[in-house]
Amino acid sequence: MARTNMRTTRTEPATGELLTLHVLRRARISPNFARVTLGGGDIARFVPMGYDQWFRLVLPVAGGTLEAAPKKLDTLSYLRFLTVSSATRPVIRNYSVRAFRPDGPGGPELDVDVVLHGSPEDGTAGPASTWARTCEEGDPVGLLDEGTTFRLPEGVRRILLVADETGLPALVNTLASLPGDVVGHALVEIPDEADRQELGGPAGVEVTWLPRGGVGGDGRGAGAVGALARQAACALPLPEEPAYCWAVGEQALATGVRRHWVAGGLPKTHVTFCGYWRARH
Ligand SMILES: Cc1cc2nc3c(=O)[nH]c(=O)nc-3n(C[C@H](O)[C@H](O)[C@H](O)COP(=O)(O)OP(=O)(O)OC[C@H]3O[C@@H](n4cnc5c(N)ncnc54)[C@H](O)[C@@H]3O)c2cc1C
């Protein structure tokens, strides 16, 4: 993972043990997003926490199994995992809980919205992006819950949220989790106008969508991702009352916005930032 201070605001998950789930269905929800719905297996042991809850998604390689996956989130299990041959070692990537439904048709369901970056044909798509284009009902996946990092300080009711497309799922879940009297602004950069989603959340949080007009969605121009959101965030006056600010997405976006806020006088304890991925320039 890229630069972050999220350990300082982390709320731990109910269990750090590997949960084995299955793909229930996959849908293309917009030009640059696939929604993969997971359930079955150990889903009853998953405890939804709302906000920006995220997890390590463990994907078996080429029709393999989860046999070699780390059984829990600790250093020893991870070091053991690294000794497994790369031919059979599952792939691990970070994803957010977009939504959790305890009462799906066949039991609880968890949605993961995956950005379809790059192209599998020319090798610019990573394994998770490729999985989201090709996975099928019944495919096994592992989930190692990491808990949440969004933490509204006591008494604070004003927020500023900034995200690129990779942070959109966490932002949607966060808006749905916030108390109704929270006010503020959310800036969301997306590859294309058609990637906008219906958002719930407090009426006092204004949402600004920043579509790039296709740039970055197909792997071309990934270096430009985050520039619009960063510019918009830096143009917003810092609130005079106490505020909590959360910035996630491409590393330069998250770190640049955080630097601007802290230089403007916001206490570091009131900022959570995380580079969700890093563009190769
Ligand atoms: C806490 C956390 C939560 C996250 N939640 C989500 C989520 O809900 N949905 C989501 O889609 N992503 C999310 N991400 C980001 C995701 O983990 C990365 O985009 C990841 O690199 C994708 O893995 P991959 O196998 O597709 O590509 P990788 O193998 O990791 O990377 C292959 C190449 O693609 C580039 N790349 C990676 N991601 C992107 C991108 N989005 N756009 C353009 N180029 C890219 C890399 O720079 C690299 O050159 C989250 C990250 C974190 C840390």
Side-chain angles (χ1 to χ4, degrees), residues 1 6 54 93-96 113-115 117 124 126-129 166 169 222 276-278 280:
M1 191 189 306
M6 56 204 250
W54 65 286
R93 292 291 185 275
N94 305 317
Y95 281 90
S96 310
D113 281 6
V114 179
V115 175
H117 68 86
T124 52
S129 171
T166 60
Y276 272 13
W277 64 284
R278 210 177 308 186
R280 262 192 302 197

Side-chain angles (χ1 to χ4, degrees), residues 1-2 6 32-33 52-56 59 91-98 112-118 123-131 146 149 164-170 212 216-219 221-223 225 248 250 274-280:
M1 191 189 306
M6 56 204 250
N32 296 286
F33 278 95
D52 58 349
Q53 185 174 11
W54 65 286
F55 55 86
R56 312 273 177 180
L59 303 172
V91 165
I92 301 186
R93 292 291 185 275
N94 305 317
Y95 281 90
S96 310
V97 176
R98 166 61 174 76
V112 191
D113 281 6
V114 179
V115 175
L116 300 175
H117 68 86
T124 52
S129 171
T130 302
W131 168 81
E146 283 277 6
T149 71
D164 69 10
E165 58 267 35
T166 60
L168 176 58
R212 287 192 303 272
D218 60 358
V225 176
V248 303
E250 204 287 317
C274 182
Y276 272 13
W277 64 284
R278 210 177 308 186
R280 262 192 302 197

